Amino acid sequence: GPSPATDSYLRIDKIIAAAKATGADAIHPGYGFLSENADLPDACVKAGLIFVGPRGEAMRALGGKAAAKDIAIKAGVPVVPGYQGRAQDAATLTKEATKIGYPVMIKAVAGGGGRGMRLVSSAQELPELLDSARREAQSAFGNPDVLIEKVVVKPRHIEVQVFGDTKGNVVHLFERDCTLQRRNQKVIEEAPAPGMSAQLREKICGAAVTLAKSVNYEGAGTVEFLVEGGTLDASAKWYFIEMNTRLQVEHPVTEAITGLDLVEWQLRVASGEPIPLAQAAIKMLGHAIEARLCAEDPDANFMPSIGTIRAFEPSSRKDLRLETGVESGSVVSPYYDSMIAKLIVAAPDRAHALASLADALATTHVLGVKTNIGFLHALCVHKGVMAAEMDTGLIGRDIATLTQSRSSPRAIALGARALLTSKAAKANLHSVKAPDPFGARDAFQMSGKRSVAIPVMVDGKPEKVHATWASDHVDVICGDTLGRWADERHTAHSIMSTDGRGLVSVFGSTAYVSDNLRHTTVAFPDYDASALDDDAGTGAIRAPINGRVAKLFVVKGDTVEKGQRIAVVEAMKMEHVLTAGLGGTIDKLPAVEGAQVAQGALLATIVPA
């Protein structure tokens, strides 16, 4: 089917038809989309197919956050105070939020991954955030229902990997720490949880097994908890929050510390075999950490980055486990999650694992789209993270320092030098129809030193560099910084530092630079009059990214105030709210709710009041 998930990956009939057409006898649901939709395993049974996961009834019991909380309460497992009732009208939800007391958290009943979650600080914020959470939940899971919970103070997010089989056996494979989150999205996960006391581990892991056994759970699942206060000592307060009835994105860290293959276990259990090991035989050794590499721009509030991956050069570290679905030349679209790879390392202890991950990030390069590599590296060397003094609010509190990065003069000069010297660039320095030596940008002079100031565009903004030609090379300086690594290796299409921490490649008329964990583009200016904004003097509101117009809040002729919501554009399963930059009247409104739009597309114009 077409790219939007509602027309393809969320269509059970199409999934079943694909299995039948290919002769498959089983369906593995992966991490997202229908992986927690109980209708899929039911449809598999009806179609004579094996579903690699829990039965539909178990998924309904524990996969929905509201029903799972009721089961936990009956099982004696502590839960976060909140409302998980069936009444979903705005009046009921508003009343319950007031009863719980602000701040509260809205959560989508179906699915996980932080989708459909909103932190509400006051009653005034509730209507807007409730509407937004419902839209996102409907888009991601096909179910707009939500629950409301009290916000836990300084929580650590701990989850337990459980496994059940058709014989009634359930075991746990210890815990993972998923505390490092941004906007309720996991960023870095590790196992075991640093600082976890043996007593708390026994309580939480035992509660997870009890919960799974209560519904005769089969296959892989993850039971999630919040531990209050930021520490994991024996006396800490802890609460069950939800169960993910599927394999988790972060399952490799559990595999690393146990030496077990969780997908193999899934297939064996789905085939009717018992769990391969009894609880006493499952041991853990060492420490493992996983980082989620995403196509997003931390400098632009983590706006998804869409486009062609010009080069993907992972670290060559032997202790790195890389899981990815992209390669050089792959296109990152606006339709799916922004995660493009996972980097997993394991070591005898946490300190060495953190150091290994930091180095793996520093020696991995993605050119063509912005990524969060620098942000991930900053987390690995953050004092609080290194000391395991963290809670789910750490990233939000320290976001300014964690995203402090800008294009360095060296990166700019490196890119400009590549533009002037690479084979790909030289082909673009002359007219396509008739190569002309007088059009070459090589500072040719009849006499004297061959030196010239050159204007370039750096990430779309004007900059100047100074180039000097010698007999066998070109030196480029930005400010007072030379664009050259101390030791570098040249190929036909790229330049790489021999320590693996820098890479520059030219594609077309643009140089892509990865230097000091920062992605920079350098290009010669394109003086195109057609690119001028013809909306001068109006409040032009344009799509910040390729995506879908999820919501329009205005109609043509409406009077709006500065800061008022105009539209919501959805991309990579995230919503981007666009507001009025000035007060006035909606003059043009070419945007259509539900339509796909390209980055830069005009959505509305405002005539100043």
Side-chain angles (χ1 to χ4, degrees), residues 99-379:
K99 188 187 299 184
I100 295 166
Y102 293 94
V104 298
M105 184 71 78
I106 299 172
K107 292 184 178 181
V109 168
R115 307 300 180 192
M117 289 181 66
R118 298 292 186 275
L119 174 63
V120 186
S121 300
S122 65
Q124 291 73 29
E125 294 180 352
L126 185 64
E128 176 184 338
L129 294 176
L130 179 59
D131 186 42
S132 176
R134 281 172 158 168
R135 276 197 312 273
E136 190 171 87
Q138 176 65 48
S139 175
F141 314 119
N143 183 349
D145 290 353
V146 299
L147 58 80
I148 301 177
E149 289 181 343
K150 178 69 178 175
V151 173
V152 178
V153 179
K154 293 187 67 178
R156 288 277 290 274
H157 189 130
I158 305 299
E159 60 186 31
V160 178
Q161 178 70 63
V162 295
F163 239 101
D165 61 23
T166 58
K167 320 298 180 184
N169 302 307
V170 178
V171 297
H172 70 79
L173 288 82
F174 305 106
E175 81 283 351
R176 297 186 287 258
D177 193 322
C178 303
T179 296
L180 294 175
Q181 303 176 10
R182 190 191 68 83
R183 292 179 180 169
N184 306 310
Q185 301 272 321
K186 297 169 184 175
V187 177
I188 288 180
E189 303 103 340
E190 54 186 308
M196 171 74 85
S197 65
Q199 298 94 326
L200 186 61
R201 176 175 291 122
E202 184 177 352
K203 291 177 188 176
I204 288 182
C205 290
V209 170
T210 297
L211 209 61
K213 280 186 174 180
S214 69
V215 294
N216 299 315
Y217 193 82
E218 299 170 11
T222 304
V223 186
E224 306 204 9
F225 301 88
L226 290 181
V227 182
E228 196 165 18
T231 60
L232 303 177
D233 55 55
S235 60
K237 292 183 179 179
W238 53 281
Y239 308 96
F240 165 77
I241 52 171
E242 63 179 312
M243 181 172 183
N244 286 306
T245 54
R246 56 178 169 85
L247 194 68
Q248 294 279 85
V249 169
E250 58 272 22
H251 78 274
V253 295
T254 295
E255 294 184 333
I257 65 165
T258 60
L260 303 172
D261 185 330
L262 270 63
V263 177
E264 178 189 343
W265 276 36
Q266 281 188 299
L267 297 176
R268 289 188 179 280
V269 167
S271 299
E273 296 181 20
I275 295 171
L277 294 175
Q279 187 68 68
I282 302 171
K283 308 293 183 182
M284 67 174 175
L285 182 67
H287 200 93
I289 308 178
E290 172 184 296
R292 301 187 182 200
L293 177 58
C294 296
E296 58 189 15
D297 186 0
D299 293 340
N301 197 27
F302 292 87
M303 183 77 72
S305 183
I306 294 169
T308 300
I309 296 177
R310 298 298 182 179
F312 183 34
E313 298 284 345
S315 172
S316 59
R317 288 188 64 94
K318 292 182 179 179
D319 61 352
L320 173 66
R321 170 176 170 176
L322 179 77
E323 296 193 355
T324 184
V326 302
E327 59 187 1
S328 297
S330 294
V331 175
V332 179
S333 82
Y335 299 106
Y336 311 115
D337 195 273
S338 61
M339 184 173 66
I340 57 175
K342 302 186 298 182
L343 286 76
I344 306 106
V345 297
D349 56 61
R350 185 173 187 263
H352 284 90
L354 269 175
S356 295
L357 181 57
D359 185 70
L361 290 164
T363 50
T364 292
H365 305 286
V366 184
L367 301 182
V369 296
K370 301 280 187 179
T371 72
N372 62 340
I373 282 184
F375 168 67
L376 295 171
H377 185 274
L379 275 173

Side-chain angles (χ1 to χ4, degrees), residues 41-42 59 67 90 97 126 174 185 201 257 358 398 476 501 509 559:
D42 288 352
M59 192 179 286
L126 185 64
F174 305 106
Q185 301 272 321
R201 176 175 291 122
I257 65 165
D398 294 351
V476 179
R501 292 175 177 260
S509 58
T559 299

Side-chain angles (χ1 to χ4, degrees), residues 517-568:
L517 294 154
R518 167 80 191 206
H519 181 278
T520 304
T521 60
V522 182
F524 291 125
D526 181 9
Y527 301 106
D528 183 1
S530 66
L532 295 175
D533 189 352
D534 60 1
D535 298 307
T538 69
I541 297 174
R542 297 183 179 275
I545 192 170
N546 294 357
R548 182 180 69 90
V549 180
K551 182 74 174 177
L552 286 174
F553 297 102
V554 296
V555 296
K556 187 175 179 180
D558 276 359
T559 299
V560 296
E561 298 178 354
K562 182 178 180 180
Q564 184 174 329
R565 292 180 298 162
I566 303 299
V568 174

